[in-house]
Amino acid sequence: MEVIIHFVRSQAPVLAPLFRSEAQALLLSELLLPGEEMSMTDLAERAGLPYPTVHREVARLLDAGLLVDRRVGRTRLVKGNEQSPLLAPTREILLTVTGPAVLLQEALDGLDGIERAFIFGSFAARAKGEPGPPPNDIDLMVIGTPDVRAVYEVCREVSDSVGRIVNPTILSPEEAEEQTGFLEEVRANPVIEIYGGGPDAPAADPGAAEGG
C-alpha cells in the first residue's frame, strides 16, 4: 500500500559553521563515521551529490590533509587520514551534527519491512536551520512492518554512538495515512530523510507550511 504521508522539503543549510559547505559535511560524514575506504563514484552515490561536487570537495580535503587517496587500477579510493590530528575531533563533531542520520541510514538499510524512515522534531528543525534550543534527543519515524525489536536495537546502538537518545515511532502504512494532530504537525515541519525518501517519494502537501 502506498504511503501518502507527505512532508515539507527545503534545501538544508550548512550543518555546522565549522564546515565550509553542506556538501563537505556530507562527504566527511559518509567517509569518517563508517571509517570505510570508498571510491569517488560510491561516495557520490552515498552522499547523494553530483560527481563534480564530490571531486571538488575531495580535492580540498586532500589538500587540507584530512583525507588520503590511492588508486587501484582506474579506481580512485579515498578515506580519512589517520595521521591527521584533525581526524578524531572532526569525527566527534560529525557524530553530533550528522552522525544520527548517517548511522541510522546504514543500520536501517539492513532491516526488512521498512518503507520509509526519517528524523523529525527538534533535531531535524535545528539541522534545517530553524532557530531554537539544542535538541536533547532524536525523534525517528519508521513506516512499514519491520521487526519492532530490531528497530529498537538499532536505535539503542545509535544512541550510544551519538550521545543522544533516539526515540522511534513505528507506524504501519495504514496508520501513516491517518489525519491525527500528531501526524499533521510532523507533516508541517522539516524532516531528514533516512530511508525511502528519494526522488520518487511523494511531494509536500500543498497546504503545509514550513517551520512551526
Side-chain angles (χ1 to χ4, degrees), residues 3-162:
V3 178
I4 62 171
I5 188 169
H6 305 313
F7 309 97
V8 172
R9 288 181 178 80
S10 60
Q11 183 65 36
V14 177
L15 295 174
L18 298 177
F19 301 106
R20 65 171 298 278
S21 69
E22 174 83 1
Q24 189 182 80
L26 288 171
L27 292 180
L28 284 171
S29 297
E30 294 295 346
L31 277 172
L32 302 188
L33 295 183
E36 301 174 358
E37 188 177 47
M38 203 175 301
S39 72
M40 300 283 282
T41 301
D42 288 344
L43 181 54
E45 182 178 348
R46 287 276 294 272
L49 295 168
Y51 185 89
T53 300
V54 171
H55 188 276
R56 181 174 63 250
E57 293 295 340
V58 165
R60 291 191 176 106
L61 293 165
L62 288 168
D63 289 342
L66 196 55
L67 301 182
V68 293
D69 66 343
R70 68 187 181 100
R71 288 193 176 273
V72 177
R74 299 181 61 181
T75 302
R76 186 184 187 188
L77 301 174
V78 292
K79 66 176 182 177
N81 181 7
E82 298 294 340
Q83 304 304 313
S84 171
L86 297 176
L87 187 65
T90 300
R91 276 182 175 143
E92 291 299 315
I93 294 169
L94 289 169
L95 277 174
T96 299
V97 298
T98 63
V102 172
L103 297 179
L104 284 169
Q105 183 180 47
E106 183 178 7
L108 292 176
D109 191 49
L111 301 185
D112 294 329
I114 297 178
E115 295 186 11
R116 196 169 186 187
F118 54 87
I119 295 172
F120 65 100
S122 59
F123 185 90
R126 298 299 87 76
K128 297 293 188 178
E130 293 194 356
N136 294 319
D137 55 10
I138 299 161
D139 296 308
L140 174 70
M141 179 79 74
V142 176
I143 299 172
T145 56
D147 183 324
V148 172
R149 289 175 297 179
V151 172
Y152 273 87
E153 179 62 20
V154 162
C155 291
R156 185 192 64 77
E157 293 174 356
V158 173
S159 296
D160 291 343
S161 296
V162 303

